[in-house]
Amino acid sequence: VTLGGSLSYTDSKLLSAPANVLAGYAGVFNLQHRPDWTAGVNATYETPALFGDTTLQFRADGLYRSAVGMSISPAVEVYAGGSNSAVERIPGFWLVNGRIALRHLALGPVEGELSLWGKNLTNRKDATNVLWTPLATAANYVEPRTYGAELSIQF
């Protein structure tokens, strides 16, 4: 069993801004796209040999991002008619991924690994990035749940 993790905190502050920039945003210019917290956790378990040298490995990982402000200023809401309020602040969320692999497979003179994996297993649909314009708002979202299989050969 292997366990791992990471935790990061960022204290972003805008200490000053030019007066002409502030004037363009009704006196308020917020930093955006900066989560205060990010984290990652993972766990891996590999079984004893099942047959020959072949083992079965399980891996799961979770990635966290805290809430993120996407609006530079309340003035942005004014020129967009308030229609952007749904993406003004994106709540924090976890992404969960997993992988199962048959490792050390004897394939004649070479060794292989066969795995099945899944990303975004809980199928989160959160926005990750927002672009504000006077006419419209564009947003990118977490990639949808994805599955795959891999066969790798080592020689």
Side-chain angles (χ1 to χ4, degrees):
V1 174
T2 303
L3 302 173
S6 64
L7 180 65
S8 173
Y9 175 73
T10 303
D11 185 13
S12 300
K13 291 181 182 151
L14 184 62
L15 300 177
S16 65
N20 61 339
V21 171
L22 291 173
Y25 291 102
V28 178
F29 189 86
N30 297 319
L31 292 176
Q32 59 194 40
H33 305 281
R34 289 173 175 82
D36 290 341
W37 294 95
T38 57
V41 294
N42 62 73
T44 305
Y45 171 73
E46 190 161 346
T47 67
L50 302 174
F51 50 90
D53 291 334
T54 302
T55 61
L56 188 60
Q57 183 186 68
F58 301 90
R59 179 178 170 93
D61 59 72
L63 305 168
Y64 174 74
R65 186 196 76 187
S66 66
V68 176
M70 295 290 176
S71 176
I72 294 172
S73 168
V76 172
E77 286 299 311
V78 173
Y79 72 63
S83 62
N84 295 319
S85 60
V87 289
E88 185 174 1
R89 184 166 180 81
I90 307 301
F93 62 88
W94 281 93
L95 288 179
V96 179
N97 305 314
R99 184 174 188 267
I100 300 172
L102 271 174
R103 303 187 72 216
H104 314 294
L105 285 168
L107 302 172
V110 297
E111 185 176 287
E113 180 172 303
L114 177 63
S115 65
L116 300 173
W117 53 264
K119 293 183 179 180
N120 189 11
L121 294 175
T122 58
N123 205 25
R124 298 294 307 205
K125 297 177 181 179
D126 301 277
T128 59
N129 192 17
V130 177
L131 173 64
W132 305 78
T133 71
L135 300 175
T137 299
N140 293 332
Y141 291 85
V142 173
E143 289 188 34
R145 182 183 300 137
T146 307
Y147 299 105
E150 294 176 349
L151 173 63
S152 60
I153 298 172
Q154 183 177 8
F155 53 93

